[in-house]
Amino acid sequence: MATSNKELRTCSLGHKFYKSSDCPTCPICEQESKPDNGFLSLLSAPARRALEHNGITTLQTLSKYSEKEILQFHGMGPASLPKLRTALEEIGLTFKN
């Protein structure tokens, strides 16, 4: 079994955490920023960040994109689409065709 070389890091807010990858995201900050409700709370952290990075924080904004466009965002995977589709349908919206 291979051992990972985790390195102690400190984020700009002073949280200390170990990471073995080059990913700069602080897991403590990430957990604190996760929404408690709404469609973004249903998604994994990478998928949520992908939408937020592209200015998509409401279902109305999400509905202006096609599924193909959403999947092209770094961090967004196909497993998130059913959750997004359902959230849109609940308020009578769909992805752009």
Side-chain angles (χ1 to χ4, degrees), residues 46-47 49-51 53-54 56 62 65-81 84 95-96:
R49 285 192 306 267
L51 293 180
H53 177 76
N54 287 281
I56 302 171
L62 178 64
Y65 291 83
S66 69
E67 290 184 16
K68 186 176 180 179
E69 290 170 319
I70 294 296
L71 283 173
Q72 296 199 1
F73 297 155
H74 177 76
M76 183 61 65
S80 297
L81 286 181
L84 295 174
F95 283 106
K96 178 179 89 176

Side-chain angles (χ1 to χ4, degrees), residues 25-92:
T25 303
C26 169
I28 300 164
C29 290
E30 189 62 39
Q31 186 61 37
E32 290 175 355
S33 70
K34 182 176 180 173
D36 293 330
N37 52 38
F39 80 102
L40 291 174
S41 69
L42 305 173
L43 303 174
S44 67
R48 187 179 76 251
R49 285 192 306 267
L51 293 180
E52 291 171 338
H53 177 76
N54 287 281
I56 302 171
T57 58
T58 68
L59 289 169
Q60 289 75 14
T61 305
L62 178 64
S63 70
K64 296 177 183 176
Y65 291 83
S66 69
E67 290 184 16
K68 186 176 180 179
E69 290 170 319
I70 294 296
L71 283 173
Q72 296 199 1
F73 297 155
H74 177 76
M76 183 61 65
S80 297
L81 286 181
K83 296 173 187 174
L84 295 174
R85 232 181 271 122
T86 299
L88 286 168
E89 289 170 2
E90 286 176 355
I91 64 165

